Short mmCIF file of all heavy atoms in Angstrom, two decimals:
data_model
loop_
_atom_site.label_atom_id
_atom_site.label_comp_id
_atom_site.label_asym_id
_atom_site.label_seq_id
_atom_site.Cartn_x
_atom_site.Cartn_y
_atom_site.Cartn_z
N ILE A 21 0.07 11.45 26.39
CA ILE A 21 -0.96 10.48 25.92
C ILE A 21 -1.81 9.94 27.12
O ILE A 21 -3.02 9.94 27.09
CB ILE A 21 -0.42 9.40 25.08
CG1 ILE A 21 0.16 9.97 23.76
CG2 ILE A 21 -1.45 8.23 24.88
CD1 ILE A 21 1.05 9.01 23.05
N VAL A 22 -1.10 9.60 28.19
CA VAL A 22 -1.74 9.21 29.37
C VAL A 22 -2.68 10.33 29.90
O VAL A 22 -3.84 10.04 30.26
CB VAL A 22 -0.75 8.86 30.51
CG1 VAL A 22 -1.32 8.64 31.89
CG2 VAL A 22 0.03 7.57 30.12
N THR A 23 -2.15 11.54 30.07
CA THR A 23 -2.95 12.66 30.51
C THR A 23 -4.17 12.94 29.66
O THR A 23 -5.28 13.05 30.19
CB THR A 23 -2.13 13.91 30.57
OG1 THR A 23 -1.05 13.80 31.49
CG2 THR A 23 -2.96 15.17 31.05
N GLU A 24 -3.97 12.89 28.34
CA GLU A 24 -5.11 13.08 27.48
C GLU A 24 -6.16 12.03 27.56
O GLU A 24 -7.34 12.30 27.54
CB GLU A 24 -4.62 13.23 25.97
CG GLU A 24 -5.71 13.54 24.98
CD GLU A 24 -6.31 14.95 25.06
OE1 GLU A 24 -5.57 15.86 25.61
OE2 GLU A 24 -7.39 15.14 24.61
N ALA A 25 -5.76 10.81 27.64
CA ALA A 25 -6.70 9.64 27.79
C ALA A 25 -7.47 9.76 29.06
O ALA A 25 -8.75 9.57 29.08
CB ALA A 25 -5.89 8.34 27.68
N LEU A 26 -6.83 10.11 30.14
CA LEU A 26 -7.51 10.26 31.45
C LEU A 26 -8.49 11.45 31.36
O LEU A 26 -9.61 11.34 31.90
CB LEU A 26 -6.53 10.47 32.58
CG LEU A 26 -5.62 9.25 32.94
CD1 LEU A 26 -4.63 9.68 33.93
CD2 LEU A 26 -6.49 8.10 33.43
N THR A 27 -8.11 12.54 30.71
CA THR A 27 -8.99 13.69 30.64
C THR A 27 -10.28 13.32 29.92
O THR A 27 -11.35 13.84 30.17
CB THR A 27 -8.23 14.76 29.81
OG1 THR A 27 -7.11 15.26 30.56
CG2 THR A 27 -9.11 16.07 29.61
N ARG A 28 -10.26 12.35 28.94
CA ARG A 28 -11.33 11.94 28.17
C ARG A 28 -12.15 10.85 28.90
O ARG A 28 -13.16 10.35 28.22
CB ARG A 28 -10.89 11.49 26.75
CG ARG A 28 -10.23 12.58 25.97
CD ARG A 28 -9.83 12.13 24.55
NE ARG A 28 -9.13 13.06 23.77
CZ ARG A 28 -9.27 13.22 22.54
NH1 ARG A 28 -10.08 12.50 21.86
NH2 ARG A 28 -8.57 14.16 21.89
N GLY A 29 -11.73 10.36 30.03
CA GLY A 29 -12.55 9.45 30.76
C GLY A 29 -12.20 7.98 30.52
O GLY A 29 -12.90 7.11 30.95
N HIS A 30 -11.05 7.72 29.86
CA HIS A 30 -10.59 6.37 29.63
C HIS A 30 -9.83 5.77 30.84
O HIS A 30 -9.34 6.50 31.72
CB HIS A 30 -9.70 6.31 28.36
CG HIS A 30 -10.38 6.79 27.16
ND1 HIS A 30 -11.51 6.19 26.68
CD2 HIS A 30 -10.13 7.83 26.34
CE1 HIS A 30 -11.95 6.82 25.57
NE2 HIS A 30 -11.07 7.86 25.32
N HIS A 31 -9.70 4.47 30.82
CA HIS A 31 -8.96 3.81 31.91
C HIS A 31 -7.59 3.51 31.31
O HIS A 31 -7.49 2.91 30.20
CB HIS A 31 -9.61 2.49 32.32
CG HIS A 31 -11.02 2.69 32.86
ND1 HIS A 31 -11.24 2.96 34.21
CD2 HIS A 31 -12.19 2.83 32.25
CE1 HIS A 31 -12.52 3.12 34.46
NE2 HIS A 31 -13.17 3.04 33.31
N VAL A 32 -6.50 3.81 32.06
CA VAL A 32 -5.17 3.75 31.50
C VAL A 32 -4.31 2.93 32.42
O VAL A 32 -4.30 3.08 33.66
CB VAL A 32 -4.55 5.16 31.37
CG1 VAL A 32 -3.10 5.02 30.81
CG2 VAL A 32 -5.38 6.01 30.44
N THR A 33 -3.55 1.93 31.80
CA THR A 33 -2.48 1.30 32.39
C THR A 33 -1.16 1.91 31.78
O THR A 33 -0.92 1.79 30.58
CB THR A 33 -2.44 -0.22 32.15
OG1 THR A 33 -3.65 -0.83 32.72
CG2 THR A 33 -1.21 -0.91 32.76
N ALA A 34 -0.42 2.52 32.62
CA ALA A 34 0.83 3.24 32.21
C ALA A 34 1.95 2.46 32.61
O ALA A 34 2.27 2.13 33.78
CB ALA A 34 0.90 4.60 32.99
N THR A 35 2.66 1.86 31.53
CA THR A 35 3.72 0.92 31.74
C THR A 35 5.03 1.63 31.44
O THR A 35 5.22 2.26 30.43
CB THR A 35 3.55 -0.24 30.81
OG1 THR A 35 2.26 -0.86 31.03
CG2 THR A 35 4.65 -1.25 31.05
N ALA A 36 5.99 1.47 32.40
CA ALA A 36 7.29 2.04 32.21
C ALA A 36 8.33 1.33 33.21
O ALA A 36 7.83 0.68 34.06
CB ALA A 36 7.34 3.56 32.57
N ARG A 37 9.56 1.47 32.96
CA ARG A 37 10.51 0.81 33.80
C ARG A 37 10.45 1.28 35.27
O ARG A 37 10.65 0.54 36.23
CB ARG A 37 11.94 1.06 33.28
CG ARG A 37 12.20 0.17 32.07
CD ARG A 37 13.58 0.55 31.47
NE ARG A 37 13.93 -0.34 30.38
CZ ARG A 37 14.98 -0.19 29.58
NH1 ARG A 37 15.79 0.87 29.73
NH2 ARG A 37 15.21 -1.01 28.57
N SER A 38 10.15 2.63 35.45
CA SER A 38 9.99 3.13 36.73
C SER A 38 9.02 4.32 36.57
O SER A 38 8.87 4.90 35.56
CB SER A 38 11.32 3.56 37.36
OG SER A 38 11.87 4.63 36.59
N HIS A 39 8.39 4.70 37.69
CA HIS A 39 7.47 5.83 37.72
C HIS A 39 7.87 6.79 38.84
O HIS A 39 8.15 6.39 39.97
CB HIS A 39 6.04 5.33 38.07
CG HIS A 39 5.41 4.49 37.00
ND1 HIS A 39 4.74 5.02 35.89
CD2 HIS A 39 5.45 3.17 36.74
CE1 HIS A 39 4.29 4.04 35.12
NE2 HIS A 39 4.75 2.91 35.55
N ALA A 40 7.88 8.09 38.53
CA ALA A 40 8.12 9.12 39.52
C ALA A 40 6.84 9.23 40.35
O ALA A 40 5.80 8.85 39.91
CB ALA A 40 8.47 10.40 38.79
N GLU A 41 7.08 9.80 41.48
CA GLU A 41 5.87 10.09 42.38
C GLU A 41 4.93 11.02 41.63
O GLU A 41 5.31 12.06 41.16
CB GLU A 41 6.34 10.65 43.74
CG GLU A 41 7.02 9.67 44.56
CD GLU A 41 6.16 8.48 45.02
OE1 GLU A 41 4.98 8.71 45.28
OE2 GLU A 41 6.72 7.35 45.04
N ALA A 42 3.68 10.67 41.62
CA ALA A 42 2.60 11.49 40.98
C ALA A 42 1.31 11.28 41.67
O ALA A 42 1.12 10.27 42.33
CB ALA A 42 2.57 11.19 39.50
N PRO A 43 0.41 12.22 41.54
CA PRO A 43 -0.91 12.10 42.18
C PRO A 43 -1.62 10.82 41.72
O PRO A 43 -1.55 10.47 40.51
CB PRO A 43 -1.66 13.32 41.82
CG PRO A 43 -0.64 14.33 41.46
CD PRO A 43 0.54 13.57 40.89
N ALA A 44 -2.35 10.13 42.65
CA ALA A 44 -3.08 8.99 42.22
C ALA A 44 -4.31 9.42 41.33
O ALA A 44 -4.78 10.56 41.47
CB ALA A 44 -3.51 8.27 43.46
N HIS A 45 -4.79 8.48 40.67
CA HIS A 45 -5.95 8.76 39.79
C HIS A 45 -6.79 7.42 39.80
O HIS A 45 -6.20 6.35 39.57
CB HIS A 45 -5.58 9.15 38.42
CG HIS A 45 -6.70 9.73 37.58
ND1 HIS A 45 -7.76 8.99 37.16
CD2 HIS A 45 -6.92 10.98 37.13
CE1 HIS A 45 -8.62 9.70 36.47
NE2 HIS A 45 -8.11 10.96 36.45
N ASP A 46 -8.07 7.52 39.94
CA ASP A 46 -8.88 6.35 40.07
C ASP A 46 -8.95 5.55 38.71
O ASP A 46 -9.42 4.38 38.77
CB ASP A 46 -10.31 6.62 40.64
CG ASP A 46 -11.08 7.51 39.81
OD1 ASP A 46 -10.53 8.08 38.74
OD2 ASP A 46 -12.24 7.86 40.14
N ARG A 47 -8.63 6.10 37.62
CA ARG A 47 -8.64 5.38 36.38
C ARG A 47 -7.28 5.15 35.85
O ARG A 47 -7.10 4.73 34.72
CB ARG A 47 -9.47 6.13 35.38
CG ARG A 47 -10.95 6.05 35.60
CD ARG A 47 -11.79 6.79 34.48
NE ARG A 47 -11.90 8.19 34.80
CZ ARG A 47 -11.22 9.16 34.16
NH1 ARG A 47 -10.31 8.79 33.17
NH2 ARG A 47 -11.28 10.38 34.44
N LEU A 48 -6.25 5.23 36.69
CA LEU A 48 -4.89 5.02 36.28
C LEU A 48 -4.19 3.93 37.08
O LEU A 48 -4.19 3.95 38.27
CB LEU A 48 -4.06 6.35 36.45
CG LEU A 48 -2.55 6.26 36.14
CD1 LEU A 48 -2.29 5.88 34.71
CD2 LEU A 48 -1.87 7.59 36.50
N ASN A 49 -3.66 2.92 36.36
CA ASN A 49 -2.88 1.87 36.98
C ASN A 49 -1.44 2.01 36.45
O ASN A 49 -1.16 1.93 35.23
CB ASN A 49 -3.43 0.50 36.53
CG ASN A 49 -2.54 -0.61 37.06
OD1 ASN A 49 -2.08 -0.59 38.16
ND2 ASN A 49 -2.42 -1.62 36.21
N ARG A 50 -0.52 2.12 37.36
CA ARG A 50 0.94 2.34 36.99
C ARG A 50 1.56 0.94 37.14
O ARG A 50 1.52 0.35 38.21
CB ARG A 50 1.61 3.32 37.86
CG ARG A 50 1.18 4.77 37.70
CD ARG A 50 2.00 5.70 38.48
NE ARG A 50 1.58 7.13 38.32
CZ ARG A 50 0.57 7.70 39.07
NH1 ARG A 50 0.00 7.04 40.06
NH2 ARG A 50 0.27 8.93 38.78
N LEU A 51 2.17 0.50 36.10
CA LEU A 51 2.82 -0.79 36.05
C LEU A 51 4.34 -0.59 35.85
O LEU A 51 4.72 -0.10 34.77
CB LEU A 51 2.22 -1.69 34.98
CG LEU A 51 2.99 -3.07 34.81
CD1 LEU A 51 2.84 -3.93 36.06
CD2 LEU A 51 2.32 -3.79 33.61
N ALA A 52 5.12 -0.82 36.82
CA ALA A 52 6.63 -0.71 36.72
C ALA A 52 7.13 -1.98 36.15
O ALA A 52 7.20 -3.00 36.89
CB ALA A 52 7.20 -0.33 38.07
N ALA A 53 7.53 -2.04 34.90
CA ALA A 53 7.98 -3.24 34.32
C ALA A 53 8.73 -2.95 33.07
O ALA A 53 8.52 -1.90 32.37
CB ALA A 53 6.77 -4.15 33.99
N ASP A 54 9.64 -3.79 32.69
CA ASP A 54 10.43 -3.71 31.47
C ASP A 54 9.77 -4.54 30.39
O ASP A 54 9.86 -5.82 30.45
CB ASP A 54 11.89 -4.10 31.69
CG ASP A 54 12.72 -3.94 30.51
OD1 ASP A 54 12.17 -3.56 29.37
OD2 ASP A 54 13.93 -4.23 30.53
N VAL A 55 8.99 -3.97 29.46
CA VAL A 55 8.28 -4.79 28.48
C VAL A 55 9.13 -5.41 27.49
O VAL A 55 8.66 -6.25 26.59
CB VAL A 55 7.21 -3.93 27.75
CG1 VAL A 55 6.11 -3.53 28.81
CG2 VAL A 55 7.80 -2.75 27.08
#
Side-chain angles (χ1 to χ4, degrees):
I21 292 164
V22 169
T23 298
E24 183 68 24
L26 291 173
T27 298
R28 297 183 184 215
H30 301 300
H31 300 270
V32 179
T33 296
T35 303
R37 287 175 173 172
S38 62
H39 292 272
E41 290 297 322
H45 193 291
D46 60 359
R47 285 182 279 104
L48 175 63
N49 173 41
R50 294 185 180 88
L51 177 62
D54 182 357
V55 294

